[in-house]
Amino acid sequence: MNRKKHISKDNDVAPKTTLDGYRLGLWKAINKRRSAKWSLRIIYLLIFIGTFSDFIANERPLICKVENKIYYPVFHEYLEKLSIANPYKMIQKKDWNELAYDFYINAPIPYSSNSFDLNNVYKSPFSIQEIKSTRYRHWLGTSDLGKDVFAGLINGTRIALLVGILSMLIAGIIGIFFGILAGYFGDKLFQVSRIRIVFNIIGLILFIIYGFLFRKLAFSQGDFTFEIIKSIAIGIFIMSFINLLAFILEKNRILGKKVSVPMDLLLSRMIEIINSIPLILILFASLSVIQYPSIFNVILIIGFFRWTGIARYLRAELLKIRNLEYIISAKAMGVKHFRIIMKHALPNAISPILIIIAFGISGAILVEATLSFLGIGVGADDMTWGQLLSFARKKPDAWWLAVFPGIAIFITVTVFNLIGDALSDVLRFDS
Amino acid sequence: MVKYVLYRILLFIPTLLIISLVVFYVGTLAPGSPINKYCDSEEINFENEIERSKACQSAAYKLGLDLPRFYFSLTQRAFPDDFYKILQKTHQNNLESLILQYGNWDEIEEYYESRIRLQNLLLKLPKSENNDQIIELKSLANQLIVTSDNDKIIKVFDEMQSIFDKQGSLSLDIESEYENVISSYGKVISNQSIQNLWIPKLVWHGFNNQYHNWISNFIKGDFGVSYFDGRKVSSRIKMAMKWTLIMNLVAIFFAYFISIPIGVYSAVHKNSLFDRLMTIALFLLHSLPVFWIGTMLIVFFTTSEYGAWTDIFPTGGLSSLSSDASYWSRFWDTAYHLVLPIFCITYGAFAFITRQMRNGMLNVFGQQYMVTAKAKGLHQKEIIWKHGFKNGIFPLISMFATIFPAALAGSTVVEIIFSIPGMGRLAYDGILQQDWPVVNAILLLSAFLTIFGYLVADILYKLLDPRVKF
């Protein structure tokens, strides 16, 4: 029998089946807990609201018929945002509720988060409101300029979830990458050729020069998030080019001599640095220097500053795993590092990360709410829970502005915390 | 032990240096320049532009901003070595965007100087000669200083030309200077060297730079002067630190005082009704955002909107009495003002500490020496407090060391909501006012205290628990 073939077949099949069983078990165990089950249901609901928020709360009708033509204004809004279609001519100088419809179907809440209703400024949910019919009632009251609180909550759901999930995605990618480098390779195992070290340092400098320093003009004029993504693309290009060059030059005996890089030490320092700066203050500072506020800047910056927890746990987990017998035997069989990490080490180390991600999502939502509560880093168009809550600071007698957004934040945060708690209980991992 | 501590302290140095670089760098990214306030804003009127640039010079000198920012600078080759010497932010931005468009500093410099000369000539005209056209010309010259877009510049030129055509009696100097501006701009356009924008250049500025001065003064204990009000940063921090420390120490004291008995009780009576209720309550308490609770307290307990009895506490600030009131009445008034903020800090810490205490105790109860103690026939109280508590409290004691950094930044939101002039509030205001000496000092200080706190925690742990080995 061909020995090599046998090994690879074994590697592919054996862990996979056990892993699926393991995941299934985890899923079942979580669903057994009542709190976690309900939390999951609430999360589904929140995701539903977040995804379809434009159809739930919108001043535009879902479907309407004006002058014998049928329009789909909500769908049209998406096209307008993507600048595929032009705004309707009929709406140019009017509000949506002033149009003469033949017939229309409104969204359940007939207000957008930023639509004004100057007749009803700071109206309590229980007070008498100047409205056409009960259909147009502000069920949760209004804030300044008559903005509907309910519509704001619906819009805020999307932003909160976006912030929570996307920032943790970024943090997860960075954290897992560094966690593997530090945990699996430690201080001695990461061996690269001299030329590659030198080239990568040069590449990093070139990346800083061409990705950031020389693009100052683009950064000051364009959209920050988009420019960052472009810079990262430039960086990836430079790094891969340089590594290709290094790969060719490595063939030389002197240049190609292997040296070990103390990955663990480097990462520990990096984590110490990031953790020792108070997160909320560095977020204030870095968001205040960006000229055009947008929610995606908040997501990016939270992601860049919150990966340390993930990296630390993964590192600790991998440090244990890498000395286990099955990894050592895989190494002895000559399996490549990359394959060991992907097939053996990472799948067994990844579940504790889920706990941190669950707690991280709730943390990120809280951070974003705090930021927008203090008026830092939110765009002008969007309404967030924190922003709604901040109106209560300006007008302390408007209790509905303090209560409802707060409840929304509280429920979302609690639900993700409960999931994290359930995961850590199931995995017998105490945070 | 000593060796370990020394090693850790040695590691402080690179970490703190990098943090100081990061903190300093964030400050330099800010869109505005602090000297704007003294000379470059619209509100301040000067006799002429020469006066204005003099004011800029002196303000920059006073704040130490006329120096290069760092030991070296890495820029495009198109930029001159001493670009930092152009102090007015509007000029700086204009020149920067011109350089980034055309890349030929020599020509741009000439164009820049001729524009300034033209502006000064116009400003020197006696006031008696002021008519609409001169005023128009002045504003066009001002516009020219801030315009970098080619089309707009040409439009300004056209408008100027039409004024010159109409007004024959202007002095020759002005007209010739105007010709000069146009021809120098023509040179900028015709001699572009865009390749210079892609070649990096490293310039060494020497040790007399902003960062070096800041960090060396910082090590000596001099945190610099606030851009905002010219006061010493250290004195502002000292005053703010007082309030933050008072609030946090009181809050932490209460939190420990309540949570330790509850945590121990919960652990001893595990799975009892009390324990289960407590676990749920603590969990919910932990998820309550502090800024929400703060806002709710302000909404419901500081106004008489919801009945007369709800107006219990003051809305914010520290004291509503004048300074000539007696010490004790001022003390009680301040204490009264601090009730709500301290409550806000306490409940979060309380939830956290109780959970830690309970888990710590539960860990200990699983140990064999507890079984032994029971087997020896010791009294339940003795087992819990002498054997259990002593070991279960380690995580809490090491947590105590991290209070100082937490005190610096942890109560930021509470301080902002209740307008208490503490450290967090100071940093927040500093960021909003772009007062970077204050912000940098607070960030670096709290970073230092955090690292130091971790070290103290580790040492405490070692001293208390002989099983721990470094």
Side-chain angles (χ1 to χ4, degrees):
Chain A
M1 195 165 61
N2 188 333
R3 193 165 159 258
K4 216 171 181 179
K5 204 174 172 185
H6 174 72
I7 291 168
S8 77
K9 197 180 159 197
D10 230 33
N11 286 339
D12 282 343
V13 178
K16 224 177 191 170
T17 45
T18 54
L19 194 70
D20 270 355
Y22 173 67
R23 259 185 215 150
L24 204 68
L26 193 66
W27 184 246
K28 270 187 187 156
I30 286 170
N31 268 305
K32 248 186 207 162
R33 299 167 65 96
R34 218 181 333 159
S35 62
K37 201 159 95 183
W38 277 99
S39 300
L40 271 178
R41 284 179 189 165
I42 294 175
I43 289 175
Y44 296 147
L45 179 72
L46 288 172
I47 289 175
F48 176 82
I49 294 174
T51 318
F52 297 104
S53 65
D54 288 331
F55 298 91
I56 299 170
N58 210 321
E59 58 179 351
R60 297 166 173 238
L62 296 172
I63 305 169
C64 65
K65 197 172 175 190
V66 181
E67 288 161 5
N68 281 327
K69 263 181 93 177
I70 290 186
Y71 296 96
Y72 300 94
V74 176
F75 289 102
H76 202 82
E77 199 176 4
Y78 287 107
L79 300 181
E80 281 171 30
K81 272 181 192 157
L82 296 169
S83 49
I84 295 170
N86 294 322
Y88 290 130
K89 275 183 194 140
M90 59 178 184
I91 190 67
Q92 258 161 12
K93 273 175 194 161
K94 286 180 185 167
D95 264 344
W96 282 97
N97 52 10
E98 287 172 5
L99 283 176
Y101 297 109
D102 296 338
F103 101 101
Y104 64 91
I105 299 173
N106 256 341
I109 300 160
Y111 296 101
S112 297
S113 60
N114 50 5
S115 49
F116 304 148
D117 181 0
L118 295 173
N119 295 328
N120 298 304
V121 177
Y122 285 121
K123 279 283 164 74
S124 143
F126 304 125
S127 71
I128 299 157
Q129 299 173 351
E130 284 180 44
I131 37 176
K132 281 193 285 192
S133 64
T134 2
R135 182 77 185 76
Y136 286 91
R137 195 172 168 78
H138 300 281
W139 291 107
L140 297 184
T142 60
S143 61
D144 69 325
L145 303 170
K147 290 178 194 157
D148 190 68
V149 172
F150 208 162
L153 287 186
I154 301 286
N155 192 288
T157 312
R158 166 183 290 182
I159 291 169
L161 287 181
L162 268 183
V163 170
I165 293 169
L166 285 186
S167 65
M168 273 302 117
L169 194 72
I170 295 171
I173 291 170
I174 303 176
I176 288 174
F177 179 73
F178 283 122
I180 289 173
L181 282 186
Y184 179 78
F185 292 105
D187 276 344
K188 298 205 175 92
L189 220 55
F190 196 80
Q191 291 190 326
V192 278
S193 59
R194 285 172 176 168
I195 188 75
R196 208 180 269 267
I197 294 177
V198 174
F199 267 40
N200 271 302
I201 292 172
I202 293 173
L204 217 57
I205 294 171
L206 285 179
F207 168 44
I208 291 170
I209 291 175
Y210 288 105
F212 294 98
L213 288 180
F214 284 17
R215 301 187 65 245
K216 257 189 197 156
L217 192 68
F219 269 107
S220 67
Q221 286 170 354
D223 179 44
F224 178 79
T225 310
F226 184 60
E227 296 304 330
I228 277 276
I229 292 169
K230 257 203 238 168
S231 286
I232 289 170
I234 292 173
I236 290 172
F237 175 76
I238 292 175
M239 288 322 247
S240 39
F241 177 74
I242 275 220
N243 276 306
L244 197 74
L245 216 65
F247 179 73
I248 296 163
L249 289 172
E250 251 171 10
K251 302 282 185 283
N252 183 310
R253 266 248 308 276
I254 301 162
L255 297 178
K257 185 147 193 266
K258 300 262 179 182
V259 199
S260 60
V261 185
M263 279 297 165
D264 196 23
L265 185 81
L266 289 177
L267 182 94
S268 306
R269 293 304 90 192
M270 205 146 90
I271 290 178
E272 191 178 88
I273 288 168
I274 291 180
N275 280 355
S276 60
I277 309 178
L279 177 75
I280 198 89
L281 289 183
I282 197 74
L283 281 176
F284 285 170
S286 39
L287 285 168
S288 74
V289 299
I290 296 171
Q291 293 185 20
Y292 302 99
S294 141
I295 202 68
F296 290 101
N297 304 342
V298 179
I299 292 173
L300 270 180
I301 293 181
I302 294 179
F304 282 146
F305 280 103
R306 290 203 64 140
W307 56 268
T308 52
I310 296 172
R312 253 174 48 186
Y313 266 97
L314 190 60
R315 169 187 169 272
E317 219 30 40
L318 283 175
L319 278 178
K320 267 187 267 164
I321 285 177
R322 71 175 187 162
N323 290 330
L324 292 183
E325 278 170 359
Y326 70 99
I327 301 279
I328 295 172
S329 62
K331 262 184 217 163
M333 279 192 281
V335 184
K336 285 248 162 61
H337 283 316
F338 183 76
R339 201 185 162 78
I340 296 179
I341 293 170
M342 283 305 172
K343 288 271 174 193
H344 303 278
L346 202 52
N348 288 311
I350 207 86
S351 15
I353 301 300
L354 291 178
I355 305 167
I356 304 171
I357 286 183
F359 283 123
I361 289 175
S362 76
I365 291 172
L366 259 183
V367 168
E368 188 276 326
T370 312
L371 287 173
S372 53
F373 175 73
L374 298 173
I376 291 178
V378 276
D381 312 335
D382 287 320
M383 182 60 80
T384 65
W385 292 339
Q387 240 176 325
L388 272 176
L389 202 66
S390 73
F391 288 124
R393 254 179 99 204
K394 289 179 203 145
K395 211 169 153 50
D397 49 331
W399 58 267
W400 58 97
L401 290 174
V403 172
F404 299 124
I407 290 175
I409 298 171
F410 173 61
I411 289 178
T412 315
V413 169
T414 310
V415 156
F416 279 105
N417 277 345
L418 277 173
I419 294 286
D421 208 41
L423 276 171
S424 62
D425 258 17
V426 168
L427 296 166
R428 287 211 186 78
F429 211 87
D430 221 315
S431 58
Chain B
M1 173 84 175
V2 177
K3 212 171 143 194
Y4 173 78
V5 172
L6 278 178
Y7 171 72
R8 284 281 294 267
I9 290 174
L10 221 62
L11 279 180
F12 274 16
I13 297 166
T15 313
L16 282 173
L17 270 181
I18 292 174
I19 293 171
S20 78
L21 284 175
V22 171
V23 163
F24 184 77
Y25 183 66
V26 171
T28 64
L29 286 175
S33 162
I35 61 166
N36 278 359
K37 218 174 58 131
Y38 297 96
C39 62
D40 210 10
S41 75
E42 297 275 315
E43 291 140 31
I44 308 168
N45 286 314
F46 287 98
E47 281 286 298
N48 53 43
E49 286 301 308
I50 305 168
E51 292 290 314
R52 184 186 289 274
S53 75
K54 263 186 196 162
C56 273
Q57 283 285 356
S58 71
Y61 178 74
K62 216 171 69 192
L63 300 174
L65 293 170
D66 56 341
L67 298 173
R69 272 182 176 154
F70 198 55
Y71 298 100
F72 59 85
S73 60
L74 190 63
T75 51
Q76 280 107 324
R77 222 180 96 190
F79 281 89
D81 288 0
D82 48 2
F83 192 66
Y84 63 89
K85 281 187 180 155
I86 292 158
L87 292 170
Q88 272 152 287
K89 196 77 184 182
T90 42
H91 294 202
Q92 217 181 68
N93 289 345
N94 176 258
L95 287 176
E96 193 175 323
S97 68
L98 280 173
I99 292 173
L100 291 176
Q101 279 177 65
Y102 307 114
N104 45 353
W105 169 244
D106 292 339
E107 283 80 3
I108 291 170
E109 190 182 20
E110 208 167 290
Y111 169 59
Y112 171 64
E113 278 168 2
S114 65
R115 276 185 301 174
I116 300 279
R117 278 202 300 272
L118 176 67
Q119 205 184 20
N120 284 336
L121 280 176
L122 283 169
L123 287 166
K124 270 182 196 155
L125 282 178
K127 286 213 167 112
S128 55
E129 275 182 43
N130 264 0
N131 57 26
D132 289 353
Q133 258 124 5
I134 300 279
I135 292 169
E136 173 79 29
L137 213 52
K138 278 183 188 170
S139 88
L140 284 175
N142 281 340
Q143 251 184 57
L144 211 53
I145 299 281
V146 295
T147 328
S148 57
D149 184 42
N150 186 29
D151 295 341
K152 279 184 195 153
I153 289 175
I154 288 187
K155 216 174 123 197
V156 173
F157 282 159
D158 285 347
E159 279 171 34
M160 278 182 151
Q161 186 65 50
S162 71
I163 291 172
F164 281 121
D165 289 346
K166 268 188 242 161
Q167 180 106 5
S169 62
L170 272 174
S171 76
L172 279 174
D173 284 356
I174 295 179
E175 283 218 55
S176 70
E177 198 55 63
Y178 166 70
E179 299 294 333
N180 215 342
V181 172
I182 292 194
S183 70
S184 60
Y185 184 67
K187 274 186 205 153
V188 171
I189 299 287
S190 58
N191 295 338
Q192 295 182 14
S193 41
I194 300 188
Q195 72 281 2
N196 280 348
L197 292 176
W198 294 102
I199 304 169
K201 181 177 72 171
L202 190 75
V203 187
W204 176 255
H205 290 304
F207 285 98
N208 190 15
N209 60 54
Q210 289 179 30
Y211 173 78
H212 185 84
N213 291 345
W214 172 63
I215 197 74
S216 50
N217 283 333
F218 194 95
I219 293 167
K220 286 179 211 150
D222 173 13
F223 299 167
V225 183
S226 157
Y227 289 160
F228 183 67
D229 55 6
R231 281 164 62 199
K232 279 201 148 192
V233 175
S234 46
S235 75
R236 292 189 73 176
I237 286 185
K238 222 184 262 169
M239 278 173 64
M241 180 88 101
K242 186 176 98 185
W243 292 113
T244 308
L245 272 183
I246 289 176
M247 266 173 29
N248 278 283
L249 284 179
V250 174
I252 296 293
F253 171 75
F254 277 126
Y256 271 82
F257 193 70
I258 308 168
S259 25
I260 287 177
I262 292 182
V264 174
Y265 187 87
S266 284
V268 174
H269 303 267
K270 199 187 164 208
N271 287 333
S272 68
L273 184 68
F274 176 82
D275 179 40
R276 270 182 292 160
L277 283 180
M278 215 53 214
T279 307
I280 295 169
L282 288 177
F283 194 83
L284 296 182
L285 214 55
H286 192 61
S287 309
L288 278 175
V290 67
F291 62 94
W292 184 38
I293 294 303
T295 314
M296 292 282 274
L297 289 173
I298 287 185
V299 168
F300 287 110
F301 291 113
T302 67
T303 62
S304 49
E305 185 75 17
Y306 312 102
W309 64 273
T310 57
D311 189 8
I312 305 173
F313 292 105
T315 316
L318 276 174
S319 175
S320 42
L321 291 180
S322 61
S323 55
D324 52 305
S326 76
Y327 177 81
W328 281 108
S329 60
R330 269 188 301 146
F331 175 85
W332 286 116
D333 188 53
T334 308
Y336 179 51
H337 277 76
L338 286 178
V339 171
L340 291 185
I342 285 178
F343 173 79
C344 280
I345 306 175
T346 308
Y347 85 81
F350 162 71
F352 184 66
I353 296 171
T354 313
R355 270 169 77 94
Q356 289 283 332
M357 188 72 232
R358 180 176 174 271
N359 290 349
M361 284 305 272
L362 281 179
N363 269 340
V364 172
F365 286 156
Q367 302 290 334
Q368 296 212 326
Y369 57 79
M370 293 299 280
V371 183
T372 317
K374 212 172 197 173
K376 276 199 295 188
L378 286 182
H379 196 262
Q380 172 81 353
K381 235 181 205 163
E382 213 167 346
I383 299 174
I384 293 169
W385 291 106
K386 250 195 167 162
H387 294 186
F389 182 69
K390 236 171 109 187
N391 289 306
I393 204 163
F394 290 139
L396 287 190
I397 288 176
S398 62
M399 234 170 62
F400 197 78
T402 54
I403 282 175
F404 297 104
L408 268 169
S411 51
T412 307
V413 180
V414 175
E415 284 170 17
I416 295 168
I417 294 175
F418 291 98
S419 16
I420 287 169
M423 292 294 279
R425 173 105 210 164
L426 189 64
Y428 175 74
D429 287 345
I431 286 165
L432 293 187
Q433 293 156 353
Q434 310 249 318
D435 193 352
W436 295 108
V438 173
V439 180
N440 289 352
I442 293 178
L443 282 175
L444 194 52
L445 212 60
S446 56
F448 173 74
L449 285 182
T450 311
I451 304 178
F452 190 69
Y454 284 144
L455 179 62
V456 172
D458 286 352
I459 293 172
L460 269 181
Y461 217 109
K462 163 81 183 161
L463 289 179
L464 291 170
D465 190 349
R467 287 168 300 182
V468 174
K469 283 204 184 92
F470 286 140

